[in-house]
Amino acid sequence: MWTTLLIIIALGVFIFTKVFIIVEMREEVIQERLGKYIKTLKPGLHFLIPFVDRPAYRQEMREQVIDVPSQTCITKDNIEVEVDGLVYVKVMDAYKASYGIGNYKMAAINLAQTTMRSEIGKITLDDTFSEREQMNENIVREIDKASDPWGIKVLRYEIRNIRPSDNLIHTLEKQMEAERDKRAEITKSTGTRDYKINESQGERQEAILLSEAQRQKRINEAKGKAKEIELIAKATSKGIKRVSEAIAKPGGDLAVKTKLIEQFIGQLGNVIEQANVSVLPTETANLKTFFEGVSKVSDGTQPSSAYKATKGGQQ
């Protein structure tokens, strides 16, 4: 009895799966009858004739991301680079995607790789990074034109990695290091040059300022001396004018003579004090001269030897 029940349940499940099919919201199913396309089943529950109809293909209707494997490409300047990417596609027509091509995913990958090799070969290594967006657009455009009969739409393509060979990376690193050293030397020499220029300009400016200061000093001293001479001249002029006015007054002539005699006597006293001269009355001076002459004569005359002997005998 249990065996019979199990057989009945299994037969029911088999018949149900062959008679009814559930299509999910994210997909479409291609229905064939005796190997011939009948219709495209949309999401929902559908009836199939057992052993006559069958769901031939199930197509994913959501946007799909397909990984494009890494491949070696040669740039315009004959540099080998490893390039991989991602291609985003979406099935627009389930019938074409089922009967237009055997495997649209593999076809999209191969087409993306061949288009990428072609695009990389048009540019140099230095432009592969700066022209990435343009290359993505070109690849999408080329794949989309070729994939139209397949019933799929290429939405976008993204280059994931562009990696040169290890030898090239080592060479580029050396080149960049040399370029950095070059820029450092240029910066250092420019700094030294600017330092010397600033130093020479500072010394020149200092010399100019010193010369200007000396010139201004001499000008100021000259002006001061001129002013001093002017003031002395004015003072002398005023003094002479006042003296002349005083002489012109009664008794002025006598006052001038008295002043001159007083100054003469004062100056004569100063001269006598500084000179080795004795001032005596005339008679005293003559007497002093007489005695000085006698002393010189007596000093110049010495007694004879006979006089000396006589004088000695008397003694």
Side-chain angles (χ1 to χ4, degrees):
M1 179 178 178
W2 288 106
T3 303
T4 304
L5 182 60
L6 290 175
I7 293 174
I8 293 173
I9 293 174
L11 182 62
V13 172
F14 177 76
I15 294 174
F16 182 82
T17 55
K18 292 295 183 180
V19 174
F20 298 99
I21 182 173
I22 298 175
V23 179
E24 297 182 4
M25 189 66 187
R26 58 181 175 81
E27 64 182 3
E28 291 183 358
V29 177
I30 300 300
Q31 179 183 356
E32 290 183 354
R33 179 170 295 170
L34 299 178
K36 183 179 180 180
Y37 171 77
I38 297 298
K39 64 179 178 179
T40 301
L41 302 178
K42 301 297 180 181
L45 180 63
H46 299 274
F47 175 76
L48 299 177
I49 299 175
F51 307 104
V52 177
D53 296 339
R54 72 182 184 93
Y57 301 98
R58 289 180 178 270
Q59 300 295 348
E60 177 71 48
M61 303 306 293
R62 294 177 297 182
E63 182 177 349
Q64 304 175 61
V65 182
I66 302 175
D67 186 12
V68 180
S70 177
Q71 62 174 335
T72 301
C73 302
I74 300 176
T75 62
K76 187 177 181 180
D77 49 353
N78 296 324
I79 302 298
E80 291 186 359
V81 292
E82 296 288 333
V83 184
D84 60 357
L86 298 172
V87 60
Y88 296 79
V89 299
K90 184 176 182 180
V91 176
M92 307 302 294
D93 190 334
Y95 175 81
K96 290 182 179 181
S98 301
Y99 299 105
I101 192 169
N103 188 341
Y104 66 85
K105 291 184 179 180
M106 184 60 65
I109 291 173
N110 292 331
L111 188 57
Q113 287 182 327
T114 56
T115 308
M116 173 57 68
R117 284 196 296 268
S118 176
E119 292 297 325
I120 290 292
K122 297 177 182 178
I123 59 178
T124 62
L125 178 63
D126 295 337
D127 295 333
T128 54
F129 297 96
S130 61
E131 298 293 333
R132 179 176 293 192
E133 293 296 330
Q134 186 63 37
M135 285 193 297
N136 291 337
E137 293 177 3
N138 294 338
I139 292 171
V140 169
R141 184 170 57 252
E142 294 298 325
I143 298 177
D144 194 47
K145 288 191 299 183
S147 63
D148 184 64
W150 308 340
I152 64 173
K153 175 70 175 177
V154 179
L155 302 178
R156 59 188 180 275
Y157 182 87
E158 294 292 339
I159 298 175
R160 188 161 54 185
N161 293 312
I162 300 177
R163 179 178 175 80
S165 62
D166 294 338
N167 292 333
L168 180 60
I169 292 175
H170 185 64
T171 303
L172 292 176
E173 288 177 352
K174 287 186 175 180
Q175 181 179 357
M176 292 176 63
E177 184 177 359
E179 188 67 23
R180 286 194 296 267
D181 293 339
K182 175 184 175 182
R183 289 197 297 266
E185 290 295 331
I186 292 174
T187 303
K188 182 179 179 181
S189 62
T190 302
T192 303
R193 182 196 63 185
D194 294 341
Y195 167 74
K196 290 182 178 179
I197 291 174
N198 293 335
E199 186 178 16
S200 61
Q201 288 180 349
E203 292 177 353
R204 176 175 172 269
Q205 189 67 25
E206 181 182 6
I208 292 173
L209 293 176
L210 287 175
S211 63
E212 289 290 337
Q214 293 293 335
R215 184 176 69 88
Q216 189 64 37
K217 178 182 178 182
R218 290 193 294 269
I219 291 173
N220 294 337
E221 289 178 351
K223 288 182 178 179
K225 290 180 180 179
K227 191 67 175 177
E228 180 182 2
I229 292 171
E230 181 181 358
L231 294 175
I232 292 173
K234 287 182 178 180
T236 304
S237 175
K238 290 181 180 180
I240 294 172
K241 183 177 179 181
R242 291 180 180 178
V243 170
S244 62
E245 291 177 353
I247 293 173
K249 293 181 179 180
D253 188 13
L254 179 59
V256 171
K257 291 179 180 180
T258 304
K259 187 65 176 177
L260 291 175
I261 292 171
E262 182 180 353
Q263 291 180 354
F264 174 76
I265 293 171
Q267 292 295 328
L268 180 61
N270 293 334
V271 171
I272 292 172
E273 289 178 358
Q274 296 176 2
N276 188 14
V277 179
S278 299
V279 181
L280 297 172
T282 304
E283 293 79 4
T284 306
N286 292 334
L287 183 59
K288 180 181 179 182
T289 303
F290 171 76
F291 283 110
E292 287 179 353
V294 172
S295 176
K296 290 181 179 180
V297 172
S298 62
D299 291 338
T301 304
Q302 297 180 356
S304 62
S305 57
Y307 175 75
K308 291 179 180 180
T310 305
K311 190 176 180 181
Q314 290 177 357
Q315 293 176 349

